[in-house]
């Protein structure tokens, strides 16, 4: 070992390494063997100059990539975005945040441009925040560029849901935690989820008499699903944000 500290010994080691030592003053003012590994902060036996010789460097990440396309057409799938690591954490620096995010999606056209996905029985829903990203003017040639339909809102009273909804804690699926039995929720029907001919969203329950039990499923976690009953149709949704969703 060295008679000084980490700088003179030229040592800075990750994790716990008993061989990563020097001889000199420790932070607790004891002279003898001191350490230059990352774990010495917890054990209190760092060399006196550890913080200067081995400064903590946090993980640094880059910008998010654009969202990928849907993983499949005509069925619920996932879109992905990633960000690169520009600097790995060192010497106890802050670890890297999540490098990948996934969110549910549903494409309504095949690679050849044919409409599909309208035959789903349950209502597929996601958070209303997704509507900020979704293009309200659908790319389908069946939509006239001069047509601007305001859509509509369906109110439902939730009857049941699986426990998987409450377990969601990922950033883009955390909205599922707020689904509760017995609450009135609003689901907005807008393009491109709205059929260009019927001007309705699949699973909207509009034809239900209010006593029929209808099914819904959360996009992003197929195990988060449940039942609800129609309350009414209104022009605009007015539920709290945590109880506001969109058909997808």
């Amino acid at each position: 070992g060295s008679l000084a500290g980490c700088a003179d010994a030229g040592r800075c080691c990750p994790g716990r390494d008993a061989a990563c030592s020097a001889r000199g003053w420790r932070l607790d003012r004891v002279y003898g063997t001191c350490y230059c590994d990352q774990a010495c902060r917890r054990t209190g036996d760092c060399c006196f100059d550890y913080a200067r010789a081995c400064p903590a460097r946090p993980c640094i990440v880059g910008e998010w990539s654009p969202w990928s396309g849907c993983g499949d057409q005509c069925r619920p799938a996932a879109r992905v975005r990633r960000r690169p690591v520009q600097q790995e954490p060192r010497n106890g620096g802050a670890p890297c945040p999540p490098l990948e995010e996934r969110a549910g999606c549903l494409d309504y056209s095949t690679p050849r441009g044919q409409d599909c996905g309208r035959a789903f029985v349950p209502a597929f829903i996601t958070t209303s925040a997704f509507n900020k990203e979704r293009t309200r003017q659908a790319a389908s040639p069946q939509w006239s560029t001069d047509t601007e339909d305001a859509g509509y809102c369906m109110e439902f009273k939730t009857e049941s849901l699986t426990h998987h909804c409450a377990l969601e804690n990922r950033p883009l699926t955390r909205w599922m935690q707020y689904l509760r039995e017995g609450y009135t929720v609003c689901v907005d029907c807008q393009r491109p989820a709205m059929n260009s001919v019927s001007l309705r969203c699949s699973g909207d329950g509009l034809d239900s008499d209010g006593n029929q039990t209808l099914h819904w499923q959360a996009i992003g976690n197929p195990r988060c699903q449940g039942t609800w009953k129609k309350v009414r149709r209104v022009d605009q949704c007015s539920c709290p944000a945590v109880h506001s969703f969109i058909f997808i």
Side-chain angles (χ1 to χ4, degrees):
S2 169
L3 294 179
C6 300
D8 283 354
R11 292 178 178 175
C12 288
C13 309
R16 183 58 171 167
D17 186 352
C20 189
S21 64
R23 189 153 185 86
W25 289 101
R26 300 191 335 195
L27 289 177
D28 57 4
R29 300 189 179 184
V30 174
Y31 187 85
T33 301
C34 58
Y35 293 89
C36 305
D37 61 353
Q38 182 179 331
C40 74
R41 290 181 178 271
R42 296 195 307 270
T43 55
D45 53 7
C46 296
C47 295
F48 73 95
D49 66 340
Y50 176 79
R52 175 172 53 84
C54 307
R57 295 183 179 179
C59 175
I60 298 177
V61 296
E63 297 294 326
W64 286 108
S65 68
W67 284 103
S68 69
C70 243
D72 205 347
Q73 284 81 33
C74 306
R75 66 182 63 188
R79 56 197 178 111
V80 183
R81 66 176 182 175
R82 299 180 176 90
R83 53 184 172 182
V85 175
Q86 297 180 337
Q87 175 180 284
E88 295 284 353
R90 296 183 60 186
N91 305 324
C96 294
L99 303 177
E100 180 179 290
E101 286 187 339
R102 291 177 175 267
C105 59
L106 182 60
D107 271 351
Y108 283 96
S109 61
T110 67
R112 296 182 179 180
Q114 298 173 324
D115 274 3
C116 63
R118 305 292 177 180
F120 293 116
V121 175
F124 290 100
I125 62 170
T126 189
T127 171
S128 60
F130 179 61
N131 217 27
K132 298 177 182 178
E133 300 180 23
R134 185 169 67 174
T135 303
R136 299 174 70 91
Q137 186 79 17
S140 171
Q142 298 185 22
W143 286 105
S144 169
T145 55
D146 298 328
T147 300
E148 182 64 29
D149 191 275
Y152 58 94
C153 177
M154 294 299 301
E155 293 183 0
F156 299 95
K157 185 175 182 180
T158 53
E159 297 284 319
S160 66
L161 69 158
T162 61
H163 73 279
H164 299 285
C165 304
L167 300 178
E168 274 295 346
N169 198 34
R170 293 173 293 171
L172 295 174
T173 53
R174 194 173 294 142
W175 58 271
M176 300 178 194
Q177 294 180 354
Y178 300 103
L179 288 162
R180 296 286 190 275
E181 294 180 2
Y183 277 74
T184 297
V185 298
C186 296
V187 189
D188 202 10
C189 178
Q190 298 285 350
R191 291 181 283 170
M194 182 188 295
N195 185 282
S196 59
V197 177
S198 66
L199 299 182
R200 289 179 53 182
C201 289
S202 179
D204 64 5
L206 195 58
D207 299 326
S208 168
D209 60 5
N211 294 316
Q212 181 182 357
T213 298
L214 307 170
H215 294 266
W216 57 266
Q217 179 179 314
I219 290 293
N221 181 356
R223 294 188 295 178
C224 176
Q225 53 186 279
T227 60
W228 56 25
K229 290 184 178 179
K230 183 189 78 172
V231 177
R232 60 175 179 165
R233 168 179 170 162
V234 293
D235 291 336
Q236 293 184 338
C237 292
S238 58
C239 295
V242 293
H243 294 150
S244 296
F245 309 101
I246 60 171
F247 292 104
I248 193 170

